[in-house]
Amino acid sequence: MSAAAPRAVVELDRVSRTYPSGTRALDSVSLTVAEGELVTLLGPSGCGKSTLLGIAAALQPPSSGAVRWWGEGPGRIGTAGHRLAMVFQSATLMPWLRVASNVRLPLDLAGIERGAGDRAARAALARVGLAGFEASYPRELSGGMQMRASIARALVTEPDLLLMDEPFGALDEITRARLDADLLALWAGRGAGQRLTVVFVTHSVYEAVYLSQRVVVMSARPGRLAGEVAIDEPYPRTDDFRVSQRFASHARALQQLLARATEAAAR
Amino acid sequence: MSATRRGERVLRVAAPLGVALLVLAAWHALVVAYDLPRYIVPSPLVVAQTLAADWELLARSLAVTLKITLAAFALAVLAGTLVAFLFSQSRWLEMSLFPYAVILQVTPIVAVAPLIIIWVRDTQLALVLCALIVAVFPVISNTTLGLRSVDPGLLSLMRMYKASRWQVLWRLRVPSAAPYFFAGLRISSGLALIGAVVAEFVAGTGAAGAGLAYQILQAGLQLNVPRLFAALAVLTLTGVALFAAMVWLSNAVLGGWHESMVSARSEE
Ligand SMILES: Nc1ncnc2c1ncn2[C@@H]1O[C@H](COP(=O)(O)OP(=O)(O)OP(=O)(O)O)[C@@H](O)[C@H]1O
Ligand SMILES: [Mg+2]
């Protein structure tokens, strides 16, 4: 048991997905994400990122290929040590529930007692900078605040695997940079015993470089893995890193990979 | 902003009232100008006088009709909601039974009412059944639609957190359906009144309690046109009051959380 490779949290083995409409969204994609990793999926719009994430979240089955979570089927997802949460591309809050109740929802569904749920919801809201908005309705929040509430809802279950589908895609540059930094703090802040694994979808090259240990680039129609780039940089990553020489060279490498992938798809 | 809002609210009441006053004034003017006899077209003043004079009679009839209407409406809401829940739980059930709900809806109640009145001994019950048949469809179709019109993202969310069928129903489908349900109530309440009146007409000379339809029928036979108008006015105002009550209820329940959706969806 010496220096064994970290456990795989989610493994996709030659996964394809064809929608009933006939669209081939994913074509034989194999991807393994290890425990504690922060991996980014980068690709143009419509290349199947959301589809891949949906399959990794066990929300839809692959048309062919296999998916394993912690080495087994989807049966144990949701139990201690195997918790999974997803932040969708839009906030998907229930408009008839107050923010705190929205955040508490996963706990309510799991039958956790209301008082404990409320405490956890308040803590999660504080973590995303929404302390004091517990009693508001989603429509009283700005778009960015709604997105943060939806992140709080994902965090409230203390997930082991966090899937994020362009969570900051609709936000302005300033807010996005802050939330990116918050995400890194959150990811790094987990104790050694329980490490948070993150799969993050984006179509921003810069966001990918700033966040990830590893960037997986996808090409479109059908969605395939075009390659990956390791971002071998230390954490915590500072704002200086964003404007460094090394940052630029990583971004260039990614851009070239993306361009080649897009070209190949066009041919 | 609140000033314009209040202005709009005042306008919402004042504009139709203004129209009503104009129409009444024109009506009165025409009757006076052409010297129309009151047994053909009574002036609004005469109608108002008759309404006051015959109030006791009309109020008693209104109570009869209203009882049938409310009973039918309550049953329509109960039965309609129940059916909609069943439909929403099973596509199969909906596919096999929905066409019959449509048949129930498109068959004119005047054509079916005589049968029901023959089959059902108790006249009151027969009338309630007729009104129920007319009123139930909007509740079924709107609530079914509402229970199915769920944000797919929220449905994914519920699935991800392993929500049970019941949890999905209570925590997601029911709240999503609420605006549709209340829109259905608005239509259904009016239809219950119409159904009750039509059924009374078919039942004819009401041995069992004379409703408003009976008064209209009798007034027509006796050429008591002012009373006919007065009864008609009572009927119309009752319909408006029912509708207003439903709007109020819908706003009271939904106002807090669905504000944007209520206004968007209730226009359907
Ligand atoms: N429910 C669906 N039914 C049919 N086709 C779908 C469905 N969802 C996605 N697709 C198709 O699958 C392909 C991949 O879609 P997907 O949403 O995974 O892309 P994406 O990479 O997330 O794009 P974006 O960056 O715009 O969110 C697209 O061509 C899309 O048209
Ligand atoms: Mg997407």
Side-chain angles (χ1 to χ4, degrees), chain B residues 126-149:
Chain B
L127 296 182
V128 169
L129 274 179
C130 290
L132 169 65
I133 289 174
V134 180
V136 77
F137 186 76
V139 181
I140 296 180
S141 66
N142 270 42
T143 311
T144 306
L145 178 68
L147 289 170
R148 289 206 184 287
S149 304

Side-chain angles (χ1 to χ4, degrees), chain A residues 55-181:
Chain A
I55 289 173
L59 286 175
Q60 46 174 306
S63 307
S64 69
V67 193
R68 279 182 300 277
W69 294 267
W70 293 279
E72 38 188 293
R76 255 179 55 198
I77 294 177
T79 60
H82 304 79
R83 290 193 209 287
L84 184 158
M86 177 155 165
V87 178
F88 295 90
Q89 208 164 344
S90 60
T92 54
L93 300 168
M94 293 183 174
W96 54 86
L97 291 184
R98 292 174 194 279
V99 169
S101 307
N102 264 297
V103 172
R104 211 183 55 219
L105 181 77
L107 302 179
D108 284 353
L109 292 176
I112 285 167
E113 176 252 331
R114 169 104 193 237
D118 269 332
R119 277 192 298 281
R122 214 168 313 124
L125 279 168
R127 265 206 281 189
V128 298
L130 281 182
F133 288 94
E134 289 83 1
S136 306
Y137 282 99
R139 65 182 140 82
E140 294 164 346
L141 305 186
S142 73
M145 290 158 85
Q146 290 181 12
M147 213 55 225
R148 281 188 275 158
S150 126
I151 293 169
R153 182 181 57 197
L155 297 181
V156 82
T157 54
E158 301 282 339
D160 305 284
L161 172 59
L162 180 58
L163 306 169
M164 304 180 90
D165 193 354
E166 288 184 48
F168 313 137
L171 303 183
D172 62 284
E173 200 60 40
I174 304 161
T175 314
R176 177 194 275 226
R178 221 194 66 228
L179 292 176
D180 281 346

Side-chain angles (χ1 to χ4, degrees), chain B residues 91-110:
Chain B
R91 264 270 177 223
W92 186 83
L93 203 64
E94 185 188 355
M95 278 194 303
S96 8
L97 292 184
F98 196 78
Y100 296 98
V102 175
I103 287 175
L104 212 61
Q105 165 73 3
V106 296
T107 310
I109 190 63
V110 248

